[in-house]
């Protein structure tokens, strides 16, 4: 195995790592992308694909708005299809308390720049005639939509190859050593080296940071989804509810994906996770409550994936303190939506420039180091 | 309203020869058993109960019918708690044991028990060829199910094709119904059958029945194409013609027919085992995968047992004994049967299994579908019928970097339809293996529930908004 040094090694080929690798390669760096599995087979290939402002944290709305533009224009910068559909989005309130949550959240997200307004049940039913007429209120966002997440891997693979990125799948990085000029990456059979590195391991950011002797707590959520068989057109918008525990949309081929962060069970260390029947029944009931005609469909599959979250539920995006040329990118809430733009901002910093929007440096999240950080000397 | 839960000492999935005998053995040893089957009556595939008046009235000289009637009588006499017309759709491990989700007339019912015997039988394989999804093409196994339940077969001009003993069984019964096949198309050679004779001779009654069937076919002068396979079928909305190809010379001929019955062996129904994370191994005889279990049916997951065709294709009589053994083992492991009592009770079934093995091996060898034949499918052959993914699409995806079957699913939607990859996954895996030399592990789809498509209405039942346990809202 050659140990030729590349300019940038990206570790983790989800939507974050793949985007950084793509942008950095386009900017002229020699990039190698490592993934323990195949590209975008973890969260980035199995998520619900919702590109919504109504589930995005207020602090991330400006990033998500920019990223939404990128997703709807994917043919231009990505060059390959991920099945993006832009449409309106609705978030529904069924109780008084939910009305309160909805208006608070609509206000906060509106203030952050999302075109969200509160609408009456009548207006809601005009936009989405199959919605439950018993709703009390809805918030409407003109900018919403979805992608077909399982196409993420194939689309990025093509783009990355065209951009000259070396893709190394089924190649976990198992150790990291600062060398002074960069980093040595320990692989199962050999090693690689790079001037700069990006850790983009999703929920596995925690063990990756441990390779540098740093302790960054990453909470592992086991999100669960279900999908119906192909059905006649039932809905045309992305439908959520005030609490954020439902996301629903019908894909052009007719299947309806039901999600919203209901939890399955799983274990990050063994990379095993599975759906629970309680969550499935709860989530599907909520879906049917929102769009009653879903009662006539059949559920063909449910599945789960790991979503990562930091202690304050804001991203880990920026330089790794004490490690020159080492960067971290991930743990973004509703991270699929914002990924291309947050990755764009991080890449600007990697290239030595000023990012278009501020990063989320992780100094705030680091607890006591596991061992003395070996500072690289330049 | 929360779904109902039933608690037992043992859950048995499948009331075929294996599951029904497992339930009987465990029940007789004192366990509280619940037996579930999606069919209207116990009996499984081979001992399926007649449904229509015509099928019920036909003379009961068939041994399968006799065995089935006897089994149904035994279940009634023993007063086994059995849920028929009830589909198993989930299987979960919990700290106290297993939870099995079922759906039937009563809606969703969860079964819980510290032990679970899974005996859901097998699925038929069909070697994909251009046109295999045209209406008018049926499985051989589906034909046997129709024959048993309704004593009828569709079609006027039929071909019976494929491999293994079902071929002869279906062709002969078609003749008996007055529906003489235009051709029998058998992948095996005379020598292949001759090799199996020694095994078959160990089961004289079955052998005699097989010989009777062969004699009927000879008398009816049904053209018999040995070492041939169906290479394509044509027709738009219904079948119009079938092209046969000699496996030796490659020569082809086309025959006008309106119905084709075709089947190429069986593969274990393994969803329950895979959902529960039980270890799998390649099955040397059928060429597909099977669950790993010891001689008492115990799987790698504690408390889980496998029996019958689901544990590796062996046929009805071995299934009966495997079921009985697993039932006794579960009773013993639950403390209802001493070690000595277990050994004593096992002896007869263990002996029978040993004796039956050569017969099972003989059938399996004839039914084995070679991977090369699957992987040779022309580019325009549909592999995944739910999502219309063709052999050429798969080869293209492999060229673009899909080296395992889960990646292939993302690239092509293969296996994403209602059948969950039950039919296509083994065949797609053969194409991947052929093109990439991939290891077996990377050729299995990640198991996902539900085991069968679920009617949403049945799953969720009637409920009020306040019945939904809505977790804490996500952070703003
Ligand atoms: C079920 C589900 C539904 C979701 N729905 C939505 C939604 O509708 N909208 C939305 O915006 N967001 C959604 N999300 C969140 C979104 O999917 C994630 O935020 C995003 O995909 C995370 O991307 P990532 O690249 O950070 O991580 P991942 O996609 O998890 O990628 C991390 C990669 O790192 C690799 N890796 C790990 N360890 C190593 C190692 N040692 N060496 C090399 N590689 C390694 C892994 O194999 C993996 O490919 C959902 C998440 C889930 C799980
Ligand atoms: C369609 C078909 C037809 C066959 N016909 C013949 C034949 O004519 N002659 C012959 O010798 N062999 C036949 N075989 C082979 C035969 O199945 C076996 O030899 C024998 O029946 C095995 O017994 P078993 O108890 O293991 O499984 P089976 O007899 O298949 O019994 C399994 C039982 O499990 C039930 N089941 C499966 N999944 C679920 C679920 N998710 N929920 C609820 N219930 C479930 C089924 O309804 C079935 O009753 C056939 C096989 C198939 C697949």
């Amino acid at each position: 195995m050659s140990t030729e040094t590349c300019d940038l090694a990206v570790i983790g080929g989800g939507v974050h790592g793949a985007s950084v690798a793509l942008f950095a390669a386009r900017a002229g760096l020699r990039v190698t992308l490592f993934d323990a599995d195949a590209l975008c087979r973890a969260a980035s290939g199995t998520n619900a694909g919702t590109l919504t402002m109504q589930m995005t944290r207020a602090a991330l709305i400006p990033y998500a708005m920019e990223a939404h533009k990128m997703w709807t224009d994917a043919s231009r910068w990505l060059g390959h299809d991920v099945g993006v559909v832009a449409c309106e989005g609705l978030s529904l309130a069924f109780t008084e308390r939910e009305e309160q949550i909805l208006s608070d959240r609509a206000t906060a997200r509106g203030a952050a720049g999302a075109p969200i307004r509160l609408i009456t049940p009548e207006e809601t039913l005009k936009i989405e005639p199959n919605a439950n007429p018993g709703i009390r209120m809805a918030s409407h966002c003109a900018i919403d939509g979805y992608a077909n997440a399982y196409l993420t891997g194939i689309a990025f693979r093509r783009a990355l190859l065209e951009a000259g990125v070396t893709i190394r799948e089924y190649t976990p990085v198992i150790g990291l050593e600062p060398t002074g000029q960069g980093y040595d990456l320990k692989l199962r059979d050999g090693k690689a080296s790079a001037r700069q590195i990006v850790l983009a391991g999703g929920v596995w950011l925690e063990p990756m940071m441990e390779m540098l002797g740093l302790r960054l707590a990453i909470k592992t959520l086991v999100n669960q989804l279900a999908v119906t068989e192909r059905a006649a057109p039932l809905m045309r918008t992305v439908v959520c509810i005030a609490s954020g525990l439902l996301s629903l949309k019908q894909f052009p081929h007719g299947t309806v994906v039901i999600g919203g962060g209901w939890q399955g069970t799983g274990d990050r260390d063994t990379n095993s996770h599975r759906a629970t029947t309680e969550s499935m029944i709860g989530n599907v009931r909520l879906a049917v409550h929102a769009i009653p005609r879903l009662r006539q469909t059949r559920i063909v599959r449910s599945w789960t994936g790991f979503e990562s979250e930091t202690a304050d539920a804001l991203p880990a995006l920026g330089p790794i303190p004490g490690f020159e040329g080492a960067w971290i990118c991930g743990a973004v809430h509703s991270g699929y939506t914002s990924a291309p733009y947050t990755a764009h901002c991080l890449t600007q910093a990697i290239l030595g420039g000023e990012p278009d929007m501020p990063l989320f440096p992780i100094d705030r999240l680091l607890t006591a180091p596991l061992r003395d950080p070996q500072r690289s000397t330049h | 309203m929360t779904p109902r839960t039933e608690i037992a000492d043992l859950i048995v999935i499948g009331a075929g020869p294996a599951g029904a005998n497992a339930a009987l053995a465990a029940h007789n040893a004192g366990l509280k058993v619940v037996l579930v089957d999606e069919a209207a009556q116990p009996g499984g595939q081979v001992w399926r109960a007649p449904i229509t008046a015509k099928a019920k009235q036909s003379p009961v000289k068939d041994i399968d019918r006799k065995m089935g009637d006897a089994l149904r009588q035994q279940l009634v006499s023993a007063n086994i708690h059995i849920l028929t017309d009830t589909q198993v759709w989930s299987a979960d491990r919990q700290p106290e044991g297993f939870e099995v989700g079922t759906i039937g007339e009563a809606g969703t019912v969860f079964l819980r028990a510290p032990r679970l015997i899974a005996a859901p039988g097998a699925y038929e394989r069909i070697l994909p060829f251009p046109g295999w999804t045209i209406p008018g093409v049926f499985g051989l196994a589906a034909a046997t199910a129709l024959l048993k339940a309704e004593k009828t077969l569709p079609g006027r001009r039929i071909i019976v094709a494929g491999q293994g003993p079902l071929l002869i069984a279906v062709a002969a019964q078609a003749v008996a119904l007055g529906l003489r096949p235009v051709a029998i198309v058998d992948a095996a050679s005379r020598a292949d059958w001759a090799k199996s004779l020694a095994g078959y001779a160990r089961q004289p009654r079955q052998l005699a029945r097989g010989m009777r069937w062969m004699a009927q076919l000879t008398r009816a002068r049904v053209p018999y194409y040995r070492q041939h396979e169906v290479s394509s079928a044509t027709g738009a909305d219904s079948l119009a013609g079938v092209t046969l190809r000699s496996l030796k010379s490659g020569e082809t001929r086309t025959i006008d027919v309106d119905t084709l019955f075709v089947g190429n062996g069986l593969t274990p129904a393994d969803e329950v085992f895979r959902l529960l994370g039980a270890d799998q191994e390649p099955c040397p005889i059928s060429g597909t995968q099977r669950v790993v279990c010891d001689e008492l049916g115990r799987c790698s997951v504690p408390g889980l047992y496998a029996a019958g065709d689901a544990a590796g294709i062996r046929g009805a009589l071995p299934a009966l004994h495997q079921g009985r053994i697993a039932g006794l083992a579960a009773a013993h492991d639950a403390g209802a049967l001493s070690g000595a009592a277990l050994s004593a009770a096992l002896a007869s079934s263990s002996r029978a299994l040993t004796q039956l093995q050569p017969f099972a091996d003989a059938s399996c060898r004839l039914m084995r579908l070679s991977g090369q034949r699957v992987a040779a499918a022309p580019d325009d052959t549909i592999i995944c019928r739910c999502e219309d993914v063709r052999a050429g699409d798969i080869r293209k995806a492999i060229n673009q970097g899909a080296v395992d079957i889960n990646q292939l699913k993302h690239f092509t939607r293969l296996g994403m339809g209602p059948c969950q990859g039950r039919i296509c996954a083994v065949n797609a895996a053969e194409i991947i293996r052929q093109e990439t030399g991939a290891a077996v592990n990377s050729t299995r789809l990640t198991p996902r529930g539900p085991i069968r498509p679920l009617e949403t209405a049945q799953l969720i039942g009637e409920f009020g908004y306040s019945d939904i346990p809505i977790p804490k809202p996500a952070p703003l």
Side-chain angles (χ1 to χ4, degrees), chain A residues 37-41 45-46 55-59 94-95 97-98 101 104-105 108-109 148-151 153-154 157-158 161 169-170 227-230 241-245 253 255 261-262 265 273-278 280-286 288-289 294-304 309 313 333, chain B residues 1-3 89-94 99-101 108 110 112 275-276 386-388 396-397 400-413 415-421 442 446-476:
Chain A
D37 200 277
L39 286 190
C40 297
R41 282 269 304 126
T46 58
M55 309 245 280
T56 294
R57 298 207 61 195
F94 293 107
T95 64
R97 187 175 132 59
E98 287 179 357
I101 300 179
D104 289 350
R105 295 190 163 204
R109 289 182 174 125
N148 214 337
Y150 63 77
L151 294 176
I154 184 167
R157 164 191 302 278
R158 289 173 178 154
L161 291 174
E169 294 177 294
Y170 306 100
V227 63
T228 70
E229 68 183 352
R230 296 174 188 232
I241 63 164
S243 60
L245 286 153
H253 54 259
T255 62
W262 289 68
T265 59
H273 42 86
R274 62 170 196 269
T276 69
T277 48
E278 296 95 296
M280 176 153 143
I281 292 175
N283 197 0
V284 174
R285 281 182 166 178
L286 203 51
V288 169
H289 192 74
L294 277 171
R295 190 178 269 280
Q296 273 100 56
T297 58
R298 293 200 302 172
I299 305 290
V300 292
R301 197 162 51 255
S302 65
W303 69 96
T304 42
E309 195 176 278
H333 197 263
Chain B
M1 212 187 73
T2 47
W89 62 270
S90 75
D92 231 329
R93 254 197 283 178
Q94 303 202 322
E99 183 186 78
V100 167
T108 301
F110 287 102
R112 285 198 185 160
L275 277 173
L276 291 171
C386 300
E387 297 292 338
D388 193 7
K396 192 170 136 213
Q400 292 181 338
V403 300
D404 80 41
I405 195 150
N406 289 295
Q407 232 177 336
L408 185 68
K409 177 175 172 181
H410 281 200
F411 278 39
T412 63
R413 283 189 67 84
M416 287 200 193
C419 101
Q420 289 274 39
S442 59
T446 308
R448 305 283 195 201
I451 292 170
R452 302 284 157 81
L454 273 176
E455 303 284 341
T456 301
Q458 276 191 317
L459 170 71
I460 60 177
E462 292 304 324
F463 64 94
Y465 191 54
S466 56
D467 291 332
I468 307 174
I470 299 182
K472 191 165 91 16
L476 174 66

Side-chain angles (χ1 to χ4, degrees), chain B residues 262-279:
Chain B
V262 58
N264 300 82
L266 302 172
T267 186
D270 59 5
E271 297 95 329
V272 170
F273 305 114
R274 295 175 60 224
L275 277 173
L276 291 171
D279 293 343

Side-chain angles (χ1 to χ4, degrees), chain B residues 14 16-18 37-38 44-46 86 88 119-122 141 144 148 308-309 315-316 452:
Chain B
D37 201 296
E38 62 190 329
Q45 297 301 353
V46 66
T86 303
V88 169
T144 69
K148 286 171 208 280
D309 277 0
R452 302 284 157 81

Side-chain angles (χ1 to χ4, degrees), chain B residues 52-72:
Chain B
T52 59
K54 184 177 172 201
K56 283 183 187 153
Q57 278 154 15
S58 67
V60 191
K61 56 175 197 275
D62 178 70
I63 46 174
D64 291 340
R65 171 74 186 279
K66 277 193 199 149
M67 298 286 282
D69 287 347
L71 182 73
R72 285 181 281 276

Side-chain angles (χ1 to χ4, degrees), chain A residues 11-17 34-51 55 171-174 200-204 208 211 221 223-225 247 249 303-308 329-338:
Chain A
I11 308 170
V15 66
H16 284 119
F34 294 88
D35 199 287
D37 200 277
L39 286 190
C40 297
R41 282 269 304 126
S44 301
T46 58
N47 70 81
T50 317
L51 305 173
M55 309 245 280
T171 310
V173 172
I174 55 177
V203 290
W204 296 280
M208 276 185 190
M211 292 181 207
L221 306 174
N223 291 354
Q224 180 167 329
L225 302 174
S247 80
K249 66 267 180 192
W303 69 96
T304 42
F306 290 141
E307 181 170 16
S308 50
C329 182
V332 184
H333 197 263
S334 281
Y336 190 81
T337 304
S338 315

Side-chain angles (χ1 to χ4, degrees), chain A residues 139-361:
Chain A
S139 65
H140 171 274
C141 186
I143 292 179
D144 211 309
Y146 50 87
N148 214 337
Y150 63 77
L151 294 176
T152 316
I154 184 167
F156 269 97
R157 164 191 302 278
R158 289 173 178 154
L160 289 164
L161 291 174
E162 286 157 8
V165 173
T166 305
I167 301 176
R168 298 197 58 187
E169 294 177 294
Y170 306 100
T171 310
V173 172
I174 55 177
L176 287 170
E177 214 47 68
T179 59
Q181 281 81 49
Y183 294 85
D184 277 348
L185 285 64
K186 196 164 164 237
L187 310 175
R188 272 199 299 239
D189 51 359
K191 67 178 190 109
S193 48
R195 293 206 173 75
Q196 301 198 71
I197 56 172
V198 177
L199 307 190
V203 290
W204 296 280
L205 280 174
E206 185 171 320
M208 276 185 190
M209 288 290 278
E210 277 169 18
M211 292 181 207
L212 291 173
L214 297 174
R215 167 95 189 119
L216 173 69
I218 296 286
K219 188 171 159 197
T220 299
L221 306 174
V222 186
N223 291 354
Q224 180 167 329
L225 302 174
V227 63
T228 70
E229 68 183 352
R230 296 174 188 232
L234 281 169
M235 56 189 299
R236 45 172 291 270
T237 62
V238 168
V239 171
C240 307
I241 63 164
S243 60
L245 286 153
L246 178 68
S247 80
L248 262 185
K249 66 267 180 192
Q250 184 168 28
F251 284 84
H253 54 259
T255 62
V256 177
V257 169
I258 302 171
W262 289 68
Q263 295 295 290
T265 59
D267 172 32
R268 174 179 73 195
D269 295 338
T270 54
N271 192 9
S272 58
H273 42 86
R274 62 170 196 269
T276 69
T277 48
E278 296 95 296
S279 286
M280 176 153 143
I281 292 175
N283 197 0
V284 174
R285 281 182 166 178
L286 203 51
V288 169
H289 192 74
I291 305 283
R293 279 182 52 190
L294 277 171
R295 190 178 269 280
Q296 273 100 56
T297 58
R298 293 200 302 172
I299 305 290
V300 292
R301 197 162 51 255
S302 65
W303 69 96
T304 42
F306 290 141
E307 181 170 16
S308 50
E309 195 176 278
T310 61
D312 62 6
L314 286 171
L317 187 75
I320 298 176
F323 290 85
E324 185 79 33
W327 307 83
I328 186 166
C329 182
V332 184
H333 197 263
S334 281
Y336 190 81
T337 304
S338 315
Y341 193 71
T342 44
H344 157 76
C345 293
L346 185 76
T347 310
Q348 290 179 310
I350 294 170
L351 295 169
E354 188 60 33
D356 289 339
M357 277 192 211
L359 303 178
F360 292 82

